[in-house]
């Protein structure tokens, strides 16, 4: 089966990122490796991944290798200053499931949006009574370089399509 809309896709890959500053591109450095022990599974067409990522995998089949790069614009775009938010520290209390260690500069806070979907914010600065959080995607502002292999392609179940994610062993629990 080839990768197409509503297929469950399993990948192994290495993701490297680079950034252009002052017209000089940095040397790509590795930020994630998904190997046979921890492959990445997603529902094609409903993944929330950059559109260009899916376009470049479309039509590939199990065993196919891939190597491509996404520019900042094709990936997660440039940082948005409107996604920098100052919130009171009191919102991150132990009663709400947060520990003091979680609310430190550089840490990512696991949060939920108003619809109950998981999201995260990076703690940029501890301002005493409040914290400055960055809700931009962690890969915003970077060119992404993928190299990997398609290890599985199968039809999604009706439940997976309805729920918009992969179920079972390599996806979320049903």
């Amino acid at each position: 089966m080839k990768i197409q809309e509503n297929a469950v896709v399993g990948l192994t890959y290495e993701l490297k990122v680079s950034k252009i500053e002052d017209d000089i591109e940095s040397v790509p450095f590795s930020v994630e490796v998904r190997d046979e022990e921890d492959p990445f599974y997603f529902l094609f067409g409903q993944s929330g991944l950059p559109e260009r990522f899916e376009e470049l995998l479309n039509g590939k089949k199990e065993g196919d290798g891939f190597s491509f790069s996404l520019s900042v614009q094709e990936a997660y775009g440039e940082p948005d200053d409107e996604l920098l938010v100052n919130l009171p520290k009191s919102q991150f209390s132990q009663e709400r499931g947060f520990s003091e260690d979680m609310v430190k500069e550089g840490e990512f806070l696991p949060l939920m949006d108003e619809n109950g979907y998981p999201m995260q914010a990076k703690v940029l600065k501890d301002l005493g009574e409040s914290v400055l959080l960055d809700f931009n995607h962690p890969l915003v502002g970077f060119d992404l370089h993928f190299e990997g292999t398609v290890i599985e392609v199968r039809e999604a179940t009706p439940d997976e399509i309805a729920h918009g994610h992969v179920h079972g062993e390599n996806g979320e629990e049903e």
Side-chain angles (χ1 to χ4, degrees), residues 9-140:
V9 179
L11 306 175
T12 58
Y13 63 81
E14 179 176 16
L15 168 59
K16 294 180 179 182
V17 298
S18 63
K19 192 174 229 173
I20 297 176
E21 293 185 66
D22 300 324
D23 293 328
I24 300 170
E25 183 170 9
S26 66
V27 174
F29 60 94
S30 184
V31 294
E32 183 178 36
V33 174
R34 299 298 293 261
D35 59 17
E36 292 79 12
E37 300 294 314
D38 184 29
F40 176 66
Y41 280 83
F42 67 97
L43 182 57
F44 193 84
Q46 296 189 47
S47 68
L49 296 165
E51 190 176 314
R52 185 73 178 137
F53 177 85
E54 288 197 353
E55 286 173 8
L56 292 166
L57 290 173
N58 193 22
K60 294 197 176 299
K61 60 189 182 320
E62 191 172 315
D64 284 354
F66 59 89
S67 180
F68 56 80
S69 295
L70 303 180
S71 68
V72 168
Q73 292 74 23
E74 294 171 320
Y76 294 101
E78 296 290 348
D80 182 348
D81 288 342
E82 290 185 21
L83 295 176
L84 302 179
V85 179
N86 192 358
L87 293 175
K89 260 192 197 173
S90 60
Q91 290 191 2
F92 306 104
S93 65
Q94 287 188 350
E95 295 81 34
R96 294 186 177 192
F98 296 94
S99 69
E100 208 173 294
D101 287 350
M102 295 170 80
V103 191
K104 286 186 177 173
E105 292 179 18
E107 295 295 320
F108 285 89
L109 294 175
L111 304 170
M112 288 200 182
D113 68 13
E114 60 274 0
N115 298 316
Y117 292 106
M119 60 187 296
Q120 65 179 3
K122 183 178 184 179
V123 179
L124 290 182
K125 189 128 182 94
D126 184 334
L127 301 169
E129 294 296 312
S130 64
V131 288
L132 180 61
L133 301 178
D134 184 353
F135 284 89
N136 282 291
H137 190 282
L139 296 174
V140 72

